[in-house]
Amino acid sequence: FRPVSEVDRKKKIIKAAEFGVLSGAIYENAIPKAKEIGHSVVAQGKTAEIGWMVTDSLQSLKDFNGDETTPILVRTIILRGYDASDEDVDREGLLNTICTASPVSLFQGDKSLVQVHEGMLYIAELLMREINQYIDSTAPSHKIVFAGHSIGGSLSILLMILLAKSRGASFVRDNILRVFTFGSPPIFSVDTTSNLKRIANDEERGDYCSILDAFDLPTSIVYSYSQPWDPIPRLFTRFDPLYPLIDDLGDDGYTPWVNGPPRTLRPIVKTILENWEGWPSYRDNARVKLGQDFRSVGEQFLLLPEPIRYLTDRLVSVNTAVPEIDAVYSISSRDLLPALAEVFTLETLQISLLPVAIRSFIHHFYPAYDAPFVEFAKALEENNASDPDDSHKKE
């Protein structure tokens, strides 16, 4: 863990908070919320049951990379996560696709060491057909940002990699400013056995991502943000606390967490599953394909509460509310999941208890990456404005 340095706060916290707002706005009131932060909506739609939005905004290159303060036009492509409240999409079908997590090659016959979540690749390829027109219609000076919450963030990374495969890494490096993800699950795996020495040396320095490197892309092109009690960034990994819901069923195929002590959620979840017509097909698909060992991608950031909140949650009682952010810490993609498992423990038994289950939902829901992050970023901006000479000196 290391705190974001003062020189990096603008691009890694303040600017990231803006795209956190956009990634939440796509769930509701998209156009007015986008306008509030200076983004003009170009297009909206749904493809493969995923909502998306395209905006244009005037930005400063310095807020992303380098020292140039020249204004630039930025086209942002925002992808929505799974929205259980949207009755206009096939929610059950989308859930099954999300759980079809077997690792596959990006292209037929592809010999790359990188593999990707099968269901996400299916969605991303359909999205790319729709989104391409908004990439092709940009002016030569336009730059592009991808952003998304939950699986929307995972798909954003995948769309960028599909662009690198189809148009070349140089196109991505020249045109994509950044991908911002919020509470997103890992969907990539990589065979590192042929390159262990380089990976070990570089990852120890925290400035290397083997998955992005496989496509000749820098680690810093992806910024990923996680609330520490959000279980979804652990999904599809060996640290996933949710998979045993599928793996530890009774003989009836409906009773969850059949082993271990009684839990309040057990009869509630059982009743829900018994009344879900599509549960048997979902269950059988997830049992085979959900448990994976995917890896996080890019630079990782944890939105940390004040220490006393962490201690009371751990030692006294679970507080379900999303806390104010006390600090934003950077951590390598290699170390993120082991660190979360050790410090912010979310074991299967815990998450099957009602208070932790509620906290997990609330800490993943998109508002957890909106208001608290915006308030923290605003406080940093106000602090910089009140003492600009000191800030300049430290930078």
Side-chain angles (χ1 to χ4, degrees):
F1 290 92
R2 56 192 180 277
V4 172
S5 66
E6 290 190 36
V7 72
D8 285 336
R9 284 177 178 174
K10 181 67 175 179
K11 64 181 180 180
K12 294 184 177 181
I13 297 177
I14 296 170
K15 185 52 60 177
E18 175 184 324
F19 291 93
V21 171
L22 272 181
S23 296
I26 194 171
Y27 287 90
E28 57 180 351
N29 302 321
I31 294 176
K33 285 187 176 181
K35 286 182 177 179
E36 283 178 14
I37 57 173
H39 286 250
S40 175
V41 176
V42 175
Q44 292 178 279
K46 291 177 186 174
T47 303
E49 316 302 340
I50 296 293
W52 52 266
M53 178 169 69
V54 180
T55 71
D56 279 341
S57 61
L58 193 62
Q59 305 277 353
S60 172
L61 188 59
K62 186 178 181 180
D63 293 343
F64 295 90
N65 300 302
D67 298 321
E68 296 182 36
T69 57
T70 307
I72 54 170
L73 280 171
V74 172
R75 174 152 291 181
T76 303
I77 298 167
I78 308 104
L79 302 178
R80 192 179 68 183
Y82 181 83
D83 185 358
S85 68
D86 188 347
E87 298 181 355
D88 294 329
V89 302
D90 180 2
R91 291 167 291 186
E92 187 173 311
L94 177 57
L95 191 59
N96 268 303
T97 304
I98 292 169
C99 291
T100 304
S102 302
V104 296
S105 296
L106 281 169
F107 294 95
Q108 188 173 5
D110 183 21
K111 301 301 182 185
S112 169
L113 298 177
V114 176
Q115 292 192 308
V116 66
H117 181 297
E118 179 183 358
M120 297 294 188
L121 179 59
Y122 167 78
I123 294 172
E125 289 176 332
L126 294 176
L127 279 167
M128 185 57 75
R129 295 176 194 171
E130 188 70 40
I131 297 299
N132 261 328
Q133 61 182 306
Y134 300 105
I135 297 172
D136 293 335
S137 62
T138 55
S141 59
H142 245 110
K143 299 297 181 183
I144 298 167
V145 168
F146 286 101
H149 165 258
S150 193
I151 63 166
S154 307
L155 289 165
S156 294
I157 299 173
L158 183 47
L159 286 180
M160 178 193 67
I161 288 179
L162 289 178
L163 281 174
K165 290 288 288 184
S166 62
R167 305 192 188 200
S170 60
F171 174 86
V172 171
R173 291 194 302 268
D174 292 343
N175 293 280
I176 309 297
L177 286 177
R178 186 145 292 121
V179 177
F180 292 97
T181 79
F182 304 91
S184 299
I187 60 168
F188 297 92
S189 61
V190 62
D191 179 1
T192 62
T193 55
S194 63
N195 210 12
L196 282 175
K197 185 174 181 181
R198 177 185 174 189
I199 289 167
N201 290 341
D202 286 342
E203 281 196 329
E204 283 174 3
R205 296 199 301 269
D207 59 0
Y208 180 81
C209 174
S210 56
I211 292 169
L212 291 173
D213 183 69
F215 300 96
D216 201 21
L217 298 174
T219 302
S220 61
I221 202 166
V222 175
Y223 285 177
S224 294
Y225 297 82
S226 299
Q227 287 279 1
W229 295 119
D230 181 350
I232 300 305
R234 313 179 199 207
L235 195 64
F236 312 130
T237 75
R238 58 192 174 92
F239 301 99
D240 181 4
L242 299 174
Y243 178 65
L245 168 63
I246 303 295
D247 200 41
D248 190 23
L249 288 170
D251 293 337
D252 60 1
Y254 293 93
T255 305
W257 310 297
V258 70
N259 295 302
R263 277 155 273 190
T264 305
L265 275 181
R266 184 182 286 155
I268 297 173
V269 173
K270 181 182 178 183
T271 300
I272 292 172
L273 299 182
E274 286 175 334
N275 287 279
W276 177 9
E277 186 176 338
W279 167 248
S281 62
Y282 169 81
R283 175 194 64 210
D284 296 342
N285 179 50
R287 270 178 164 168
V288 175
K289 298 181 178 181
L290 188 60
Q292 300 297 335
D293 191 16
F294 291 133
R295 301 178 52 175
S296 304
V297 171
E299 290 195 31
Q300 305 296 317
F301 300 92
L302 285 172
L303 310 181
L304 296 175
E306 60 180 347
I308 190 65
R309 171 63 185 271
Y310 162 75
L311 290 172
T312 55
D313 265 22
R314 189 80 183 262
L315 303 176
V316 183
S317 62
V318 173
N319 187 335
T320 60
V322 178
E324 294 181 359
I325 296 171
D326 183 66
V328 177
Y329 272 57
S330 174
I331 188 170
S332 73
S333 57
R334 181 194 64 177
D335 293 331
L336 173 68
L337 294 174
L340 285 174
E342 180 178 347
V343 182
F344 295 91
T345 308
L346 273 179
E347 296 174 347
T348 302
L349 173 59
Q350 291 177 310
I351 212 166
S352 65
L353 302 175
L354 190 59
V356 175
I358 294 172
R359 182 185 65 185
S360 297
F361 171 78
I362 292 173
H363 285 228
H364 176 66
F365 197 37
Y366 72 85
Y369 294 91
D370 187 338
F373 202 12
V374 168
E375 290 304 313
F376 182 72
K378 187 183 297 183
L380 288 181
E381 279 195 296
E382 290 173 353
N383 182 59
N384 289 342
S386 66
D387 198 358
D389 292 336
D390 184 58
S391 174
H392 175 73
K393 182 168 59 180
K394 289 177 181 177
E395 290 183 9

